[in-house]
Amino acid sequence: MTDKNPPLTTPNLEGKRQHYLTERARLTNALITRDNLIKAKIQAEKEAEKHKGVWESILLKNNGMESIESEQAIFSATSASNKISRLTGLIDELAITLLNIRATLSPVAFNYREAYLALSKDIADTTLDDFIRGPLDALKPEIGRVIGLYNVAGLSKKEATNKISNAIIAACNQGWGINDIANNLPPALEVDVMTSIKDAPSPAQLSKAKNNKAYRLSLALGQEPFDRSYESRM
């Protein structure tokens, strides 16, 4: 058997995990800001609707004469209108920022997942090697005897080996669950890793957006859907 089990994490994996968590936190904070700006814009639109036509009505009521009431009405209407315009600009700017964050996050998440899968494979390979050198090695005489019996029964060595392999695999599949190997795995990947990989513009879309402002904004605002295929990230 091997003298030492592989570590359940490595500096490489942990470094990629921390990089991912940092970029993911940037996205989360930007999304919170965007949602708050959208709420503020909705409230401003409600205010603008409430003041719509009020100034005109006051002027007509006062025979076209301005008054403190009419000045307050026009100030409130103008203020709401200006707020909507400025909030729209902020939301568009933040959409571009979010687009850039997603574009940065996607390959970071991809590299983190690849490092996780690579380490998991190393652990599985080591475990298999331990099994071959340990319990399976002790079973070799019995397996050889069964192969011999099947040879006498008319099966080729390959047919006998396949039959035994299938029987062992079927038996093993009935006797284990994910909880049985939990202590041999790296800490689980965060549930949003695959979403982070896919929820971003593809390299082709980013290339087009680089020199096309209208397309970039359309992509940022979700009017142009992302190419979410996993293959486009590879």
Side-chain angles (χ1 to χ4, degrees), residues 63-80:
N63 297 319
M65 298 294 291
E66 286 280 15
S67 64
I68 294 176
E69 185 183 14
S70 67
E71 288 179 356
Q72 289 176 339
I74 193 65
F75 175 80
S76 296
T78 302
S79 177

Side-chain angles (χ1 to χ4, degrees), residues 47-153:
E47 287 293 318
E49 185 64 25
K50 183 173 69 174
H51 295 295
K52 185 178 180 181
V54 174
W55 177 68
E56 292 85 349
S57 297
I58 293 173
L59 281 181
L60 292 174
K61 184 179 69 173
N62 294 336
N63 297 319
M65 298 294 291
E66 286 280 15
S67 64
I68 294 176
E69 185 183 14
S70 67
E71 288 179 356
Q72 289 176 339
I74 193 65
F75 175 80
S76 296
T78 302
S79 177
S81 179
N82 288 339
K83 185 180 289 187
I84 292 170
S85 178
R86 296 180 70 175
L87 284 168
T88 299
L90 286 174
I91 290 169
D92 287 352
E93 289 176 12
L94 187 57
I96 297 295
T97 300
L98 277 166
L99 183 69
N100 293 332
I101 291 174
R102 293 184 194 279
T104 300
L105 176 61
S106 180
V108 169
F110 179 87
N111 291 334
Y112 169 39
R113 183 175 185 272
E114 289 297 296
Y116 179 91
L117 295 178
L119 178 59
S120 298
K121 183 178 182 300
D122 286 346
I123 293 172
D125 287 343
T126 300
T127 303
L128 176 61
D129 186 62
D130 287 346
F131 173 68
I132 291 172
R133 295 173 182 274
L136 185 60
D137 189 62
L139 290 174
K140 284 181 180 179
E142 287 299 317
I143 292 174
R145 188 169 72 87
V146 175
I147 291 175
L149 290 171
Y150 275 122
N151 289 161
V152 173

Side-chain angles (χ1 to χ4, degrees), residues 25-41 87 90-95 97-98 101:
R26 286 182 63 215
L27 176 64
T28 299
N29 290 335
L31 287 172
I32 291 172
T33 302
R34 182 203 62 183
D35 290 346
N36 287 336
L37 289 175
I38 290 173
K39 289 177 183 177
K41 182 180 177 182
L87 284 168
L90 286 174
I91 290 169
D92 287 352
E93 289 176 12
L94 187 57
T97 300
L98 277 166
I101 291 174

